[in-house]
């Protein structure tokens, strides 16, 4: 695949006897990539390896084609990072802190850059207040500002919208999208809030137990996973579910309210079978439709449970 | 590629100093230094022998200096590792050696400056001349002790990665050494100071009427007392530096 910014091949990482990453093959092209998985699935370890903070036990990891451990300085020079934990010098004002960070990146026009970023993330009103007085949402905004300082080629954001009120989340997501559209900044966003990713991501990576269970462009994944889920409304859902469960074309059946859901492995045959079965059971088939895949459904199918 | 910004090191150092100069931390260092100097036990002596008060009060200064230095270095290394601050700093375009050395130099400079300044109170308290050489010998020994405490607490901080545990472990180790070995041992801060002070007392005050050590320390003993902490500092800091810059994982 062309234009891949992040690529890992058979990446391994163990902490003592615990295997954190197990032959991880991950790719992220240009654009906004979502990185999802359960707690402890290996997301933060992967990010640590990409930043050169953690050394892998095997395999390769590259960002911009550079080795993540040996060339980590060059990678970090071209990348902004927002970690999940927000530890900033509490006695500094937000502006003073960003000026320090801007100097580390060697930015020439420091004050205009910092002021613009503060305005973009909506922190201008608190720029002179000590960071220790900031709320959780303000910490996140500050974190995003320091990750975007100097318009990096790529920014890795770990849980950027956690603990932020709905309006703040919308603003942050809009800022991320704007940065990508206006400056071409690429993003890798690790989060549990799937609805946030749905709004902005074009590429999705799903990790579970240290392995990539699936990855690809959002529309492809949506198509791939939605095609196999059906929602059926019949007059007697219980009887209908018990019957279709026995079909070879059906992998899984469940009932939600008065609707029957099923995952099938051969949609073409299943499409023909359903009306026949309903007729045979003398049930009224009220509706019968393929589900439009949401990110939550994709996640549920690949990882096997709701996101935590 | 891999070209580092030449000003990064000084910026990191200023950052560390600025962090230390905040009121609670600065207050801790300054107050501890003044208290350490003021509560030292001194006996009434003749003007010609008043410099010996510097020796009498050293043990309490070393004790408080050990406690404060262990706390500061553990906070800066183990604390920032445990809380995720180091992870954030190392995610910026900085070299690991820059972070490591800037922290050590900045903290050592601050603690030494404050303690050396507070130590000058002794000039007034003991009616000493600013040119009294034993005053500067005492400051030099204090600096050696500071380096030793710095190396030990940085090493333990990196190993334990817990601020509280490393503060306790490094303080108890150094305090324990001082308790376990008497004033004639190179392993205790008092022992090293005694040898150094005794030797230079002969050099600068050859007609002394009161010796702190009988027989007075030889040049070799004084040299070993200087070399011992320097050797430990070099070994520990080089080891920790190599580990910090080449192997350490920040998760």
């Amino acid at each position: 695949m062309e234009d891949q910014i992040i690529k890992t091949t058979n990446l391994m990482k163990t902490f003592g006897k615990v295997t954190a990453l197990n032959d991880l093959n991950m790719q992220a092209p240009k654009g906004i990539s979502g990185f999802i998985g359960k707690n402890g699935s290996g997301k933060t370890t992967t990010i640590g390896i990409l930043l050169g903070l953690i050394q892998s036990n095997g395999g390769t990891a590259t960002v911009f084609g550079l080795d993540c451990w040996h060339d980590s300085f060059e990678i970090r020079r071209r990348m902004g990072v927002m970690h999940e934990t927000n530890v900033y010098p509490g006695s500094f004002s937000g502006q003073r802190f960003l000026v320090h960070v801007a100097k580390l990146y060697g930015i020439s026009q420091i004050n205009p850059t910092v002021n613009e970023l503060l305005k973009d993330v909506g922190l201008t009103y608190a720029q002179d207040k000590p960071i220790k007085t900031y709320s959780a949402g303000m910490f996140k905004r500050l974190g995003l500002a320091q990750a975007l300082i100097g318009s990096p080629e790529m920014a890795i954001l770990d849980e950027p919208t956690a603990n932020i009120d709905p309006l703040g989340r919308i603003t942050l997501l809009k800022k991320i999208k704007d940065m990508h559209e206006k400056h071409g900044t690429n993003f890798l966003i690790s989060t549990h809030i799937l609805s946030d990713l749905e709004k902005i991501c074009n590429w999705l990576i799903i990790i579970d137990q240290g392995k990539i269970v699936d990855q690809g462009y959002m529309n492809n994944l949506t198509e791939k996973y939605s095609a196999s889920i059906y929602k059926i409304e019949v007059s007697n859902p219980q009887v209908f579910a018990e019957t279709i469960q026995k079909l070879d074309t059906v992998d899984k059946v469940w009932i939600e309210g008065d609707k029957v859901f099923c995952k099938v492995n051969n949609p073409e045959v299943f499409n023909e079978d359903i009306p026949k079965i309903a007729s045979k059971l003398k049930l009224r088939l009220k509706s019968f439709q393929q589900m439009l895949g949401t990110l939550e459904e994709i996640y549920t199918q690949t990882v096997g449970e709701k996101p935590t | 590629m891999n070209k580092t910004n030449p000003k990064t090191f000084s910026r990191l150092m200023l950052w560390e100093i600025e962090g230390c100069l905040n009121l609670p931390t600065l207050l801790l260092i300054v107050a501890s230094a003044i208290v350490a100097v003021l509560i030292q036990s001194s006996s009434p002596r003749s003007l010609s022998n008043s410099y010996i008060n510097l020796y009498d009060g050293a043990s309490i200064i070393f004790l408080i200096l050990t406690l404060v230095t262990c706390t500061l270095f553990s906070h800066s290394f183990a604390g920032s590792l445990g809380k995720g601050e180091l992870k954030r700093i190392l995610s910026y375009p900085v070299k690991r050696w820059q972070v490591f050395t800037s922290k050590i130099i900045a903290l050592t400079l601050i603690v030494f400056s404050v303690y050396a300044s507070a130590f000058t109170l002794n000039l007034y308290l003991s009616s000493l001349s600013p040119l009294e050489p034993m005053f500067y010998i005492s400051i030099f020994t204090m600096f050696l002790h500071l380096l030793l405490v710095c190396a030990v607490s940085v090493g333990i901080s990196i190993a334990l990665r817990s601020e509280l545990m490393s503060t306790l472990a490094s303080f108890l180790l150094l305090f324990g050494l001082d308790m376990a070995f008497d004033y004639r041992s190179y392993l205790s801060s008092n022992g090293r100071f005694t040898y150094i002070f005794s030797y230079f007392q002969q050099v600068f005050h050859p007609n002394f009427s009161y010796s702190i050590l009988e027989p007075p320390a030889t040049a070799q003993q004084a040299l070993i007392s200087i070399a011992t902490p320097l050797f430990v500092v070099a070994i520990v800091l080089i080891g920790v530096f190599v580990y910090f810059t080449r192997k350490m994982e920040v998760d």
Side-chain angles (χ1 to χ4, degrees):
Chain A
M1 192 176 296
E2 290 177 6
D3 293 335
Q4 276 176 10
I5 295 182
I6 294 171
K7 185 172 182 180
T8 72
T9 311
N10 301 327
L11 198 63
M12 296 287 294
K13 181 64 196 173
T14 53
F15 294 103
K17 289 180 182 174
V18 179
T19 303
L21 302 180
N22 187 8
D23 275 339
L24 186 95
N25 292 297
M26 167 181 163
Q27 300 160 354
K30 285 184 175 174
I32 303 176
S33 303
F35 191 27
I36 58 173
K38 285 185 279 193
N39 287 329
S41 59
K43 298 190 297 292
T44 305
T45 303
T46 308
I47 290 174
I49 290 175
L50 294 176
L51 291 168
L53 299 171
I54 298 173
Q55 196 170 15
S56 66
N57 300 126
T60 58
T62 58
V63 177
F64 309 123
L66 300 164
D67 181 84
C68 288
W69 182 254
H70 294 106
D71 303 318
S72 75
F73 177 79
E74 177 61 17
I75 291 170
R76 284 179 280 123
R77 205 178 57 76
R78 296 163 64 180
M79 186 189 270
V81 186
M82 174 187 180
H83 289 291
E84 187 179 0
T85 47
N86 304 297
V87 187
Y88 305 109
S91 57
F92 283 45
S93 70
Q95 190 185 37
R96 181 102 186 94
F97 168 68
L98 289 178
V99 166
H100 265 296
V101 177
K103 283 178 179 173
L104 291 180
Y105 278 90
I107 292 164
S108 50
Q109 300 284 320
I110 288 177
N111 284 332
T113 307
V114 166
N115 291 338
E116 194 186 331
L117 264 173
L118 283 164
K119 189 180 162 195
D120 282 346
V121 298
L123 263 184
T124 307
Y125 73 99
Q127 65 179 29
D128 296 323
K129 289 183 183 171
I131 296 175
K132 62 187 169 200
T133 63
Y134 282 16
S135 66
M138 288 158 85
F139 271 123
K140 289 287 179 190
R141 288 162 196 260
L142 185 68
L144 184 65
Q146 55 100 44
L148 297 179
I149 224 157
S151 301
E153 287 173 55
M154 172 147 209
I156 293 182
L157 312 179
D158 200 357
E159 296 292 349
T161 52
N163 298 323
I164 301 187
D165 59 83
L167 194 62
R169 270 168 61 189
I170 293 167
T171 314
L172 273 186
L173 293 173
K174 189 175 176 300
K175 173 67 188 162
I176 291 169
K177 206 167 181 180
D178 283 352
M179 283 294 290
H180 174 61
E181 285 167 1
K182 288 179 189 166
H183 303 285
T185 307
N186 302 290
F187 288 91
L188 176 71
I189 303 172
S190 165
T191 183
H192 289 127
I193 305 171
L194 303 184
S195 55
D196 285 350
L197 288 184
E198 237 163 12
K199 289 171 191 153
I200 55 171
C201 282
N202 61 327
W203 179 270
L204 186 68
I205 303 156
I206 307 166
I207 185 172
D208 190 37
Q209 295 180 348
K211 280 191 172 197
I212 299 297
V213 288
D214 211 342
Q215 59 189 329
Y217 286 105
M218 277 289 282
N219 46 3
N220 292 346
L221 288 178
T222 306
E223 225 170 76
K224 181 177 169 183
Y225 288 96
S226 66
S228 62
I229 298 281
Y230 282 80
K231 183 171 79 176
I232 306 154
E233 266 189 286
V234 283
S235 50
N236 190 335
Q238 195 65 43
V239 172
F240 187 77
E242 283 168 11
T243 308
I244 63 170
Q245 199 158 22
K246 294 167 190 163
L247 296 175
D248 291 339
T249 49
V250 176
D251 291 333
K252 193 177 168 188
V253 181
W254 67 98
I255 297 173
E256 284 181 22
D258 58 349
K259 297 176 186 70
V260 177
F261 290 83
C262 59
K263 187 186 178 195
V264 303
N265 53 42
N266 192 339
E268 284 177 17
V269 176
F270 187 74
N271 279 335
E272 290 173 8
D273 284 349
I274 288 300
K276 290 177 192 170
I277 292 168
S279 166
K280 196 176 169 184
L281 295 171
K282 294 182 181 169
L283 300 174
R284 193 160 64 88
L285 187 62
K286 295 175 189 170
S287 70
F288 165 51
Q289 63 180 106
Q290 267 184 310
M291 293 290 290
L292 283 173
T294 63
L295 194 46
E296 194 170 313
E297 283 156 2
I298 295 171
Y299 183 86
T300 309
Q301 286 185 58
T302 49
V303 176
E305 59 184 78
K306 302 254 179 193
T308 52
Chain B
M1 196 178 279
N2 278 340
K3 197 180 170 189
T4 175
N5 185 341
K7 289 182 181 171
T8 301
F9 180 72
S10 54
R11 280 172 187 149
L12 283 169
M13 224 166 89
L14 283 175
W15 198 334
E16 193 71 30
I17 290 172
E18 207 170 322
C20 262
L21 293 183
N22 294 313
L23 261 184
T25 317
L26 186 66
L27 202 65
L28 168 79
I29 308 171
V30 173
S32 70
I34 292 172
V35 167
V37 172
L38 290 183
I39 65 173
Q40 58 183 294
S41 57
S42 57
S43 315
R45 298 181 192 281
S46 65
L47 272 182
S48 60
N49 276 350
S50 62
Y51 68 89
I52 292 178
N53 285 332
L54 296 171
Y55 173 77
D56 291 340
S59 58
I60 191 74
I61 294 180
F62 284 159
L63 179 72
I64 295 179
L65 178 65
T66 304
L67 181 62
V68 169
T69 310
C70 287
T71 308
L72 276 179
F73 278 85
S74 297
H75 174 72
S76 184
F77 281 88
S80 64
L81 258 170
K83 289 174 196 157
E85 191 180 4
L86 196 61
K87 187 176 176 180
R88 177 179 56 76
I89 293 172
L90 289 176
S91 300
Y92 299 134
V94 296
K95 301 270 191 184
R96 286 188 176 205
W97 70 262
Q98 293 173 321
V99 176
F100 184 83
T101 46
S102 64
K103 274 180 180 289
I104 286 187
I105 293 174
L107 290 176
T108 307
L109 269 179
I110 288 174
V111 177
F112 181 68
S113 309
V114 172
Y115 267 75
S117 305
F119 201 70
T120 56
L121 282 172
N122 271 315
L123 293 176
Y124 170 76
L125 293 173
S126 300
S127 307
L128 292 170
S129 155
L131 298 176
E132 169 56 53
M134 296 313 289
F135 171 76
Y136 298 100
I137 294 297
S138 302
I139 287 189
F140 170 70
T141 316
M142 197 169 72
F143 181 65
L144 280 182
H145 183 67
L146 171 63
L147 288 182
L148 180 70
V149 181
C150 150
V152 169
S153 51
V154 168
I156 291 177
S157 292
I158 297 295
L160 296 183
R161 296 185 173 212
S162 155
E163 186 176 346
L164 181 66
M165 290 304 289
S166 53
T167 305
L168 281 173
S170 44
F171 176 71
L172 290 177
L173 173 69
L174 293 159
F175 181 66
L177 282 175
D178 278 353
M179 290 292 106
F181 297 95
D182 68 3
Y183 68 96
R184 283 180 177 274
S185 170
Y186 298 114
L187 291 174
S188 75
S189 57
N190 278 336
R192 292 189 298 272
F193 184 51
T194 302
Y195 285 129
I196 295 169
F197 200 91
S198 171
Y199 173 71
F200 285 102
Q201 186 186 16
Q202 300 168 67
V203 175
F204 295 113
H205 297 277
N207 302 319
F208 55 96
S209 56
Y210 167 77
S211 173
I212 59 159
L213 196 64
E214 286 298 342
T218 62
Q220 191 187 11
Q221 286 173 321
L223 194 66
I224 293 174
S225 298
I226 294 170
T228 305
L230 287 179
F231 179 73
V232 175
V233 168
I235 294 291
V236 174
L237 283 188
I238 289 172
V240 178
F241 178 83
V242 170
Y243 175 73
F244 188 95
T245 53
R246 294 181 181 274
K247 293 297 281 179
M248 192 180 76
E249 295 187 341
V250 186
D251 50 7

